[in-house]
Amino acid sequence: MKVFKFGGASVKDADGIKNVYEVLQQVGHEDVLLVISAMGKTTNALEVVIKDYVSKSPELQSSIQEVKKYHNQILIDLFDDDKHPVFAAVNHIFSDLESFLKNNKSPNYNFVYDQIVSQGEIVSTTIVSHYFNYRGLKNQWLDVREFIKTDNTYRDAIVDWDQTQKLISKNVKKKSLNITQGFLGSDENNFTTTLGREGSDYTAAIFAYCLNAESVTIWKDVPGVLNADPRYFENAVLLNQISYREAIELAFYGATVIHPKTLQPLQKKEIPLYVKSFVNPLLPGTSVSKGADLEPHAPCFIVKKDQLLISLSSLDFSFIMEENISEIFALLHKYKMKVHLIQNSAISFSVCVDDKFGNFQELKTILSKKFKVTYNDNVSLYTIRHFNERSADAVAKNKEVLVRQVSRETMQIVTK
Ligand code: ADP
Ligand code: ASP
Ligand code: MG
């Protein structure tokens, strides 16, 4: 069996969905499990719904309307007959969502988030499955929540591999086309959980692992894994072949083309991962497999924008001792700061972090009781794998460099 994953960009409108159909015609669809994400930017739009719901904003109705309108337009563009049952099916999903909003009593934000945000994937797979059937491409719609079991860490759920393995082995029908949702799972009470933003690549890997799949292909709007994100770097080049290890490193440092959790399950069973273009599906793209790096390595560039560089020094010139560092990390963890770089010296300690949840001011007040706190906001963190002089100079050019850190294969530069 092969596992394919199509992300939001590939199904962002009716033409995108028609293109997915064409891709399957070209590359084959027998014995395939298709993992599909929410359409376009639906997850972001549902996050607005959640925000409006939780803050009891008067905008709530219009934010729900926006999500409905977007999907309705796609339905109109895909199906000639407005009596087609897909219209009722999609309506039903949105009615369920609205009943949830009306009846929910849980104050648990993360729980509420998952029950709402998950509807993006439910709607998108419903539409795609109906559309394929409409075009004569018979398929089976699977509710992923009956297969991927997790704990109840809503928004960042941890997979229960034993249960998941059993359910997938027993219930996924081989030799046919199966369509299911990325990013979702369910807990022991069958409430919906999610695996973390951008988690659909990981879903594909979970199925591949449990099915002992022949391969996983993630279909993207780029030709494959490039040596840099083409949105931020000119002249990015395709990496034809990379090892699991190289792919894990790139994903870890922030190359968003592959979700970092995707690689470990695949590497364990040596299942190859292909990253290919949904625009040119017959091109080879990038193949990720065991020990497959081409030497010498081309420098690879990764950028994380809008980071925060925090520097702490002791108030009395005393050394930053281990206990201080552990206390600092406990606070960073508590305030949900994702640490991307650490630099330590005799009397100061700097971290480059992502303050996704906007907690820095609160954290700063606490840190200031014990340390002198200075910071730069809105900095960029560049990582260059397999750096050389030229690549480092190119990144630093015309920028103020605040931190530079070098290890054997990797250089990291924080710039203003
Ligand atoms: P989807 O969610 O549709 O599966 P993503 O948008 O998450 O796809 O991933 C594709 C995007 O990843 C590309 O459009 C590109 O901008 C970005 N990207 C970041 N780093 C790289 C890289 N090294 N190579 C290719 N694309 C990259
Ligand atoms: N729809 C989810 C998100 O946007 C999961 C995914 O696309 O991978 O985060
Ligand atoms: Mg994505």
Side-chain angles (χ1 to χ4, degrees):
M1 200 166 204
K2 287 181 182 165
V3 178
F4 289 168
K5 180 257 172 169
F6 285 90
S10 64
V11 290
K12 69 177 196 299
D13 52 23
D15 284 344
I17 297 163
K18 291 177 185 171
N19 179 63
V20 173
Y21 172 85
E22 295 303 333
V23 171
L24 294 181
Q25 298 303 315
Q26 291 182 58
V27 302
H29 46 72
E30 267 175 33
D31 210 13
V32 165
L33 182 118
L34 209 58
V35 172
I36 300 179
S37 310
M39 293 175 167
K41 302 273 176 232
T42 299
T43 306
N44 294 355
L46 286 168
E47 284 187 338
V48 176
V49 171
I50 294 158
K51 199 176 108 248
D52 290 344
Y53 171 69
V54 171
S55 65
K56 302 195 166 66
S57 160
E59 303 291 309
L60 176 63
Q61 275 318 314
S62 76
S63 53
I64 298 171
Q65 254 343 92
E66 199 164 310
V67 178
K68 283 183 166 178
K69 229 173 79 190
Y70 168 67
H71 288 90
N72 203 47
Q73 186 59 52
I74 292 179
L75 286 177
I76 291 168
D77 294 341
L78 284 176
F79 297 88
D80 295 328
D81 172 12
D82 64 5
K83 302 279 179 303
H84 190 285
V86 68
F87 286 88
V90 168
N91 255 331
H92 194 86
I93 297 166
F94 285 121
S95 310
D96 279 354
L97 171 64
E98 287 172 307
S99 321
F100 173 81
L101 295 176
K102 219 161 98 198
N103 299 323
N104 169 60
K105 296 273 184 297
S106 170
N108 179 346
Y109 181 88
N110 293 340
F111 166 82
V112 170
Y113 179 101
D114 279 359
Q115 310 319 302
I116 299 175
V117 87
S118 51
Q119 299 310 309
E121 269 68 14
I122 300 293
V123 177
S124 106
T125 49
T126 300
I127 296 176
V128 173
S129 171
H130 274 281
Y131 178 69
F132 285 2
N133 278 324
Y134 177 70
R135 296 284 304 267
L137 177 54
K138 295 292 163 235
N139 65 86
Q140 189 106 358
W141 183 90
L142 307 179
D143 188 331
V144 74
R145 296 167 296 187
E146 292 169 12
F147 296 87
I148 296 186
K149 298 304 288 184
T150 69
D151 70 355
N152 64 359
T153 316
Y154 300 108
R155 297 185 73 183
D156 199 13
I158 295 171
V159 173
D160 178 333
W161 284 92
D162 285 345
Q163 276 202 68
T164 301
Q165 174 72 70
K166 282 189 193 122
L167 290 166
I168 291 179
S169 309
K170 193 162 153 232
N171 298 324
V172 174
K173 257 198 12 217
K174 298 208 172 181
K175 303 284 172 213
S176 59
L177 174 62
N178 297 282
I179 298 185
T180 199
Q181 305 79 39
F183 175 55
L184 317 182
S186 68
D187 66 11
E188 63 174 349
N189 295 316
N190 293 329
F191 284 115
T192 306
T193 56
T194 61
L195 307 175
R197 283 299 309 262
E198 302 296 329
S200 297
D201 292 351
Y202 182 40
T203 304
I206 296 168
F207 273 100
Y209 181 92
C210 296
L211 290 164
N212 290 317
E214 180 187 327
S215 62
V216 174
T217 307
I218 53 180
W219 298 92
K220 299 276 171 175
D221 59 356
V222 281
V225 180
L226 309 174
N227 75 328
D229 186 338
R231 282 178 301 176
Y232 304 119
F233 296 86
E234 285 172 17
N235 311 321
V237 294
L238 179 69
L239 307 175
N240 299 300
Q241 274 194 339
I242 52 175
S243 62
Y244 294 114
R245 171 156 188 191
E246 188 61 29
I248 288 171
E249 296 275 357
L250 292 175
F252 169 80
Y253 286 114
T256 53
V257 64
I258 308 175
H259 188 278
K261 283 187 184 166
T262 311
L263 292 146
Q264 199 211 22
L266 300 182
Q267 181 261 338
K268 271 194 188 158
K269 287 201 174 169
E270 295 187 13
I271 298 169
L273 170 68
Y274 302 109
V275 183
K276 294 196 192 204
S277 157
F278 59 70
V279 184
N280 291 302
L282 298 179
L283 293 182
T286 300
S287 128
V288 183
S289 56
K290 191 183 167 196
D293 290 320
L294 294 176
E295 305 277 351
H297 288 287
C300 294
F301 301 86
I302 299 143
V303 61
K304 280 184 183 287
K305 304 224 166 188
D306 203 14
Q307 306 289 296
L308 186 63
L309 181 67
I310 310 171
S311 297
L312 306 174
S313 49
S314 48
L315 296 167
D316 58 359
F317 272 87
S318 65
F319 281 70
I320 296 257
M321 301 298 282
E322 281 72 4
E323 68 188 83
N324 283 333
I325 291 178
S326 75
E327 188 187 339
I328 293 164
F329 268 94
L331 284 168
L332 289 167
H333 179 67
K334 182 171 170 204
Y335 287 91
K336 295 196 167 71
M337 306 265 170
K338 185 112 182 49
V339 179
H340 292 304
L341 177 138
I342 303 160
Q343 198 154 47
N344 194 20
S345 78
I347 52 160
S348 89
F349 179 76
S350 302
V351 278
C352 186
V353 300
D354 210 338
D355 180 22
K356 265 210 184 107
F357 297 90
N359 290 333
F360 177 59
Q361 286 310 325
E362 218 176 307
L363 172 67
K364 184 169 159 266
T365 310
I366 301 201
L367 287 170
S368 300
K369 290 184 186 146
K370 225 169 156 182
F371 305 100
K372 179 168 172 267
V373 181
T374 53
Y375 66 96
N376 293 88
D377 53 10
N378 211 358
V379 300
S380 296
L381 170 63
Y382 289 87
T383 302
I384 317 172
R385 293 269 304 150
H386 317 298
F387 64 94
N388 53 28
E389 283 292 315
R390 230 176 99 215
S391 54
D393 288 350
V395 164
K397 197 174 162 195
N398 300 330
K399 296 185 193 88
E400 185 190 343
V401 173
L402 303 175
V403 177
R404 186 187 294 256
Q405 200 173 77
V406 179
S407 63
R408 204 149 58 105
E409 286 295 343
T410 307
M411 177 183 279
Q412 291 195 288
I413 302 175
V414 179
T415 68
K416 188 72 198 152

